[in-house]
Amino acid sequence: MGFQYKWFLLILTITMCGILYSLHKMDTYQFIQNNFLEIIQKKIKADPSLSKRVMDPGIIFVETTDKVEPTPLVVCSVESAARLNPDKHVYYFMKGFSGKLSQYPLPNYTGIPLLSAISNVVLLPLHLTELFENTPLYEWHQKVNPDLETYWIHVLADGCRLALLWKYGGTYLDTDVISMKPLPFGNFTVLQEDSYFSNGVLGFHLKHHQFLLDSMKDFVANYIGHIWGHQGPTLITRVMKRWCKLNNNDQLTANECNGISFWIPRRFYPIPHPSWEYYYDPWKKEDIESFFSDTYGAHVWNYMNFNKKKKVVAGSGSLMEYLFQMYCPITYRDLIQSPKSSESFRA
């Protein structure tokens, strides 16, 4: 009887140990999943060489407001870039993000947990003073008064993309660009129309490119914050014309100048901004495939949607729904098809 009792205790002990070990593994996995970025960031601070390896040239997105719950369109843009470029890091810098994933748990937050689960997406806080340090934008940022700026969020974003590309290299995308093909990596700008360049998509694969340094100097020297686009597309256009030694009225006659390629509008701006509502119209699948056959990413001009607040609606058959279904299926499933998303989110 005593012998059997000892065997019973032994088996019970082994069983309990197995259960406790399994629970420990689950807790450990959850901890790692929720705190992976925090662990990486601590190592980065302790090891500058690791910082250089983590911040290899990749794809860059920026949020210059204090929002920490990205809209479905933003999540879709990041997801689509990550899916189509699995060998590249996709960095999403957010001004309001603390850097601690544990502060943004489900169900209170949806965008950050969704994006943090994508293996090549890296969520990072946007520290402006640190970013602009050792660039021509530092003194401007120290002196400018955001409360007196008409388009502050946009102007700040214009400056951030230049500094980020100059410091780290890579490809910058606006958060309303849905990737449709693997992105090119090189030195390129994209024409929005004729000889007018947009800064919604920029590529400079090498750090400290002279064009970006020239652009930051021009940003400060010719600063006019109350004119829409003056610090953005207009800046890129005027610096590019100097780069190519063109007069203001000269037209571009080539697709490359001094090591920088010019991409035609259809690569990222297939639908011009005055026609932005076409993205919310019903389209036939065969028309979409034909129209976007040579497009790398669709800039959907979300700032034009500020007043109308058009949404991506499941079952609508719209072009936007198609883009979500094809290029950011997780976002579509979790943020568009779910009841919460249809009530609470705007693209």
Side-chain angles (χ1 to χ4, degrees):
M1 185 70 176
F3 179 78
Q4 291 178 337
Y5 181 72
K6 289 180 179 179
W7 269 105
F8 171 77
L9 288 177
L10 178 61
I11 293 171
L12 179 62
T13 301
I14 293 173
T15 302
M16 290 301 296
C17 288
I19 293 172
L20 290 171
Y21 178 71
S22 298
L23 290 173
H24 172 72
K25 284 189 70 178
M26 289 174 64
D27 290 341
T28 301
Y29 173 78
Q30 189 65 33
F31 176 82
I32 291 173
Q33 186 182 48
N34 290 338
N35 296 278
F36 178 74
L37 181 60
E38 296 173 47
I39 294 171
I40 289 295
Q41 288 173 330
K42 288 178 182 177
K43 288 183 178 179
I44 288 173
K45 290 179 181 178
D47 183 3
S49 63
L50 179 61
S51 175
K52 292 180 180 179
R53 287 188 282 118
V54 171
M55 289 304 301
D56 60 329
I59 300 168
I60 296 173
F61 293 91
V62 177
E63 175 58 65
T64 53
T65 72
D66 290 325
K67 295 177 182 177
V68 290
E69 180 65 319
T71 66
L73 177 55
V74 175
V75 178
C76 178
S77 297
V78 178
E79 181 193 343
S80 63
R83 280 178 167 274
L84 287 165
N85 304 274
D87 60 331
K88 294 289 183 180
H89 284 111
V90 178
Y91 303 106
Y92 182 27
F93 290 86
M94 292 178 283
K95 180 171 172 285
F97 180 56
S98 69
K100 297 181 179 180
L101 289 175
S102 57
Q103 294 181 356
Y104 311 95
L106 289 167
N108 297 328
Y109 297 88
T110 54
I112 287 180
L114 190 157
L115 290 176
S116 66
I118 301 175
S119 61
N120 59 327
V121 171
V122 182
L123 306 180
L124 295 167
L126 180 65
H127 298 308
L128 296 174
T129 300
E130 179 183 347
L131 172 62
F132 294 137
E133 191 174 14
N134 298 321
T135 77
L137 301 179
Y138 182 78
E139 289 189 11
W140 161 80
H141 179 249
Q142 294 298 305
K143 294 177 181 178
V144 70
N145 184 348
D147 295 333
L148 301 179
E149 296 291 320
T150 306
Y151 301 111
W152 173 244
I153 297 302
H154 304 281
V155 168
L156 180 59
D158 291 334
C160 285
R161 72 194 68 185
L162 297 175
L164 285 166
L165 285 172
W166 187 76
K167 283 195 168 183
Y168 301 120
T171 297
Y172 168 84
L173 299 177
D174 273 352
T175 53
D176 58 350
V177 175
I178 300 175
S179 295
M180 302 177 71
K181 297 181 189 298
L183 296 174
F185 284 87
N187 301 326
F188 70 91
T189 55
V190 184
L191 287 161
Q192 184 172 321
E193 55 188 45
D194 296 330
S195 297
Y196 187 74
F197 293 91
S198 171
N199 69 337
V201 180
L202 294 168
F204 289 90
H205 71 292
L206 296 178
K207 301 176 183 180
H208 301 158
H209 196 283
Q210 185 64 42
F211 179 85
L212 296 169
L213 184 62
D214 292 348
S215 296
M216 287 189 287
K217 290 179 179 178
D218 187 283
F219 187 102
V220 177
N222 298 299
Y223 184 77
I224 306 176
H226 65 271
I227 298 179
W228 173 264
H230 186 80
Q231 302 303 121
T234 305
L235 179 147
I236 297 298
T237 301
R238 62 179 179 260
V239 175
M240 182 58 70
K241 288 194 172 184
R242 287 201 301 270
W243 183 263
C244 298
K245 298 180 181 178
L246 298 174
N247 295 320
N248 287 335
N249 296 323
D250 288 345
Q251 297 294 312
L252 294 172
T253 57
N255 57 9
E256 186 271 344
C257 177
N258 291 332
I260 300 177
S261 299
F262 310 144
W263 288 68
I264 61 175
R266 289 196 59 80
R267 294 292 188 261
F268 289 95
Y269 310 109
I271 296 177
H273 68 88
S275 303
W276 69 273
E277 290 185 83
Y278 288 171
Y279 280 106
Y280 293 89
D281 291 342
W283 281 54
K284 294 180 181 179
K285 181 179 179 182
E286 57 268 26
D287 292 338
I288 296 173
E289 293 173 350
S290 173
F291 186 84
F292 292 95
S293 61
D294 55 354
T295 298
Y296 284 87
H299 193 295
V300 304
W301 310 107
N302 194 53
Y303 74 90
M304 301 289 290
N305 192 25
F306 180 78
N307 291 321
K308 293 200 173 184
K309 297 179 170 56
K310 287 181 175 287
K311 300 177 181 179
V312 181
V313 179
S316 65
S318 69
L319 173 56
M320 283 293 286
E321 184 189 18
Y322 175 87
L323 295 177
F324 270 63
Q325 288 175 313
M326 286 295 296
Y327 302 108
C328 55
I330 297 176
T331 304
Y332 180 76
R333 181 195 67 197
D334 292 354
L335 302 186
I336 302 301
Q337 288 185 312
S338 69
K340 181 180 178 182
S341 68
S342 64
E343 296 173 5
S344 307
F345 290 100
R346 178 175 64 85

